[in-house]
Amino acid sequence: MAPIIGINSETVTNVTSTDFPGHWPGEDNSWSLSSFRNTFNINIHHNEPLDSSFSLVAIEAVYVHNNTSVIQDEVLCQRLGLVPFRGGKEGIQEFLKWHPRKKDDGMNTVVEEEEEENTKFDYNTIILSLKIACTRNKEAEKGERDPLKAYHNAHVYARDIQFKPFGRQEQYFSGEDAIGPTNPDILVAKLRPGQCIDVDMHAFKGVGSDHAKFSPVATASYRLLPTITIMKPILGKDAEKFARCFPQGVIGFEKVSKKEAQRKGSGYEGHEGENKAVVLDPMKDTVSRECLRHEEFEGKVKLGRVRDHFIFSVESVGQWESDALFLESVKVLKMKCEALKQNLQTMNR
C-alpha cells in the first residue's frame, strides 16, 4: 500500500498502516535497524538562527531594593524572569555548572537562604542589575505629549539590564560573548518622572523540564509532507483560479508546448501557448482543501500526505541557533533512551 494519506473534500483515507509484523501471512514487516539506516535521511530546507525544533540561563532570583513603578514587585520579578538571555557558547556549555536549588517546603526559610548564598559561585550564578529612573526632558518642546520625548527612561527595556561579571566569568563572557538579552527591545516596564526601579538579579543554568523559562524553543511542531497530483489539465483562467486556492508558491504556470498540443488524448489539443497549472512546491501547502470546493476542478486534482515524510519546524527564542537546537535535542533523546535501556535491564534482574 502506498504511503500516501488521501485528502478528500470531506474525508481522509488510507490513514491506517499495515506495515507491521504479522499483518500479511508470509510477509515480514518487522523493524530493521539496517533498513532504517538505509532509508532514513534528514534534509535541512532552511537554516536560520531563529527558525530551524537544553540547557539555558534564566533569571531565577530577583532582589528588589526599590520599585516605585506602577508594576507590583511580584509582577516585575515575573517579567524579568521570562526575559531570555544568551552568552558565549563555551561559557554556557563548559564553564557554567548546574546550581543546586532546594525545594521550598515553607520551613527554615532563613537558614536555607543563607545556605544558598554560600553555594553561589562564578561557575553557577550570573549576576545582573537593573537600576533606572525616569526624569523630565528639559529640552522637550512645551506641551509634548509623547512620553518618549517628554521624559528620559519612560520605557524600560531588556537592554537596560546590566551584566556584572565576577570571578572568572569575564574570561568567558566578554565582548560579543557577554551575557545579554536575546532581544534588547523587550519592554519590561513604563515609568514616569519620580519613578524608579532598582533590582539585582541572579540567573542560573537550568533545563526546560524544570521550568519553561529555561527552554530555548518557542514553538515546535511537525506535519506530513503534502502531495498535489494534477490528474487532468487545468488551463487558462481555471489555472489562475486553481493557483489562488493554494498559498503563494505552491502552484505555478507553464506554457503548453507544441508537442503537448499535438499529442492526442493529452487534453492539451488546441491549447498551444496557453498557461497550464503545475505544482512547484507542495511543501508550502497547508492542505486547506479549497480546490476541492470548486466543480471545475472535480476529478482534476488529488490531494494527499506522505505518511513517512515528516516536516519539523522549530522556532528558537534566540539563545541557540536552529542547527544547534536540533543536535542538542538528539543528545537529550539519546540520553533518555539510554536511561530506559538501563531501567529495562534492572527490571530483568
Side-chain angles (χ1 to χ4, degrees):
M1 182 178 292
I4 302 295
I5 298 175
I7 306 296
N8 309 314
S9 58
E10 300 292 342
T11 60
V12 180
T13 57
N14 194 25
V15 294
T16 58
S17 176
T18 60
D19 50 349
F20 54 85
H23 188 86
W24 301 106
E27 184 175 324
D28 183 17
N29 285 312
S30 58
W31 187 84
S32 169
L33 178 60
S34 60
S35 176
F36 176 78
R37 284 174 174 171
N38 293 331
T39 58
F40 179 74
N41 62 81
I42 299 175
N43 298 319
I44 305 298
H45 301 289
H46 64 278
N47 185 12
E48 300 293 338
L50 299 183
D51 186 11
S52 148
S53 231
F54 319 86
S55 63
L56 221 49
V57 175
I59 295 174
E60 181 72 11
V62 180
Y63 303 92
V64 181
H65 303 297
N66 192 12
N67 174 29
T68 57
S69 69
V70 296
I71 303 179
Q72 296 91 339
D73 290 354
E74 59 272 19
V75 177
L76 178 63
C77 294
Q78 176 76 1
R79 291 179 65 86
L80 291 172
L82 295 177
V83 174
F85 287 86
R86 63 182 175 188
K89 291 183 179 180
E90 182 182 0
I92 292 180
Q93 296 179 1
E94 305 297 335
F95 176 67
L96 284 184
K97 309 299 180 183
W98 306 113
H99 178 75
R101 285 169 291 159
K102 297 181 180 180
K103 293 184 178 180
D104 184 13
D105 57 2
M107 300 177 63
N108 299 325
T109 304
V110 177
V111 176
E112 290 181 0
E113 287 182 354
E114 292 178 354
E115 291 180 353
E116 284 199 9
E117 286 297 327
N118 295 330
T119 60
K120 293 176 181 177
F121 303 98
D122 57 351
Y123 56 78
N124 63 19
T125 303
I126 298 295
I127 296 180
L128 304 166
S129 176
L130 176 59
K131 296 182 180 181
I132 192 168
C134 181
T135 58
R136 296 185 182 275
N137 182 10
K138 297 180 179 179
E139 297 180 357
E141 295 182 2
K142 187 176 181 180
E144 178 64 62
R145 311 193 94 185
D146 185 352
L148 296 179
K149 297 179 180 179
Y151 315 125
H152 294 297
N153 301 325
H155 290 181
V156 181
Y157 296 98
R159 60 174 173 264
D160 296 318
I161 298 176
Q162 301 297 319
F163 168 52
K164 301 170 66 177
F166 71 101
R168 292 194 299 156
Q169 290 181 356
E170 195 166 1
Q171 176 182 346
Y172 295 92
F173 304 112
S174 60
E176 294 182 355
D177 293 333
I179 297 293
T182 60
N183 188 345
D185 295 327
I186 295 177
L187 182 64
V188 176
K190 293 183 179 182
L191 301 178
R192 291 299 179 264
Q195 297 178 347
C196 67
I197 294 177
D198 181 2
V199 298
D200 288 327
M201 295 155 280
H202 288 179
F204 304 137
K205 186 176 180 179
V207 293
S209 58
D210 180 37
H211 195 286
K213 68 182 178 182
F214 290 112
S215 175
V217 181
T219 303
S221 63
Y222 74 89
R223 59 191 177 99
L224 298 178
L225 175 67
T227 61
I228 305 169
T229 305
I230 298 178
M231 312 295 291
K232 298 180 182 179
I234 303 176
L235 304 167
K237 293 184 177 180
D238 284 350
E240 296 177 3
K241 182 177 180 180
F242 185 71
R244 292 195 296 269
C245 294
F246 298 87
Q248 188 175 2
V250 176
I251 302 297
F253 307 104
E254 290 182 0
K255 297 292 184 180
V256 177
S257 65
K258 183 177 181 180
K259 185 177 180 180
E260 289 175 324
Q262 292 176 345
R263 190 170 67 246
K264 293 183 179 180
S266 65
Y268 297 115
E269 299 93 330
H271 295 283
E272 181 182 350
E274 289 189 34
N275 283 334
K276 66 175 181 178
V278 295
V279 180
L280 295 181
D281 191 356
M283 186 175 293
K284 294 180 180 180
D285 185 32
T286 57
V287 194
S288 65
R289 308 185 189 183
E290 175 65 21
C291 63
L292 302 179
R293 296 177 57 248
H294 304 280
E295 296 181 359
E296 53 265 53
F297 305 135
E298 187 174 351
K300 294 184 178 182
V301 60
K302 185 176 181 180
L303 304 180
R305 285 181 182 265
V306 183
R307 68 165 72 248
D308 58 357
H309 189 141
F310 298 88
I311 303 172
F312 282 82
S313 177
V314 179
E315 296 180 13
S316 172
V317 177
Q319 301 95 329
W320 291 68
E321 294 184 356
S322 56
D323 54 349
L325 270 180
F326 173 74
L327 296 176
E328 287 297 317
S329 64
V330 173
K331 292 180 183 179
V332 173
L333 181 60
K334 290 176 66 176
M335 291 174 57
K336 291 183 177 180
C337 291
E338 289 294 333
L340 177 61
K341 184 178 179 180
Q342 293 179 1
N343 290 335
L344 290 175
Q345 293 175 349
T346 305
M347 290 176 62
N348 292 332
R349 296 175 185 173

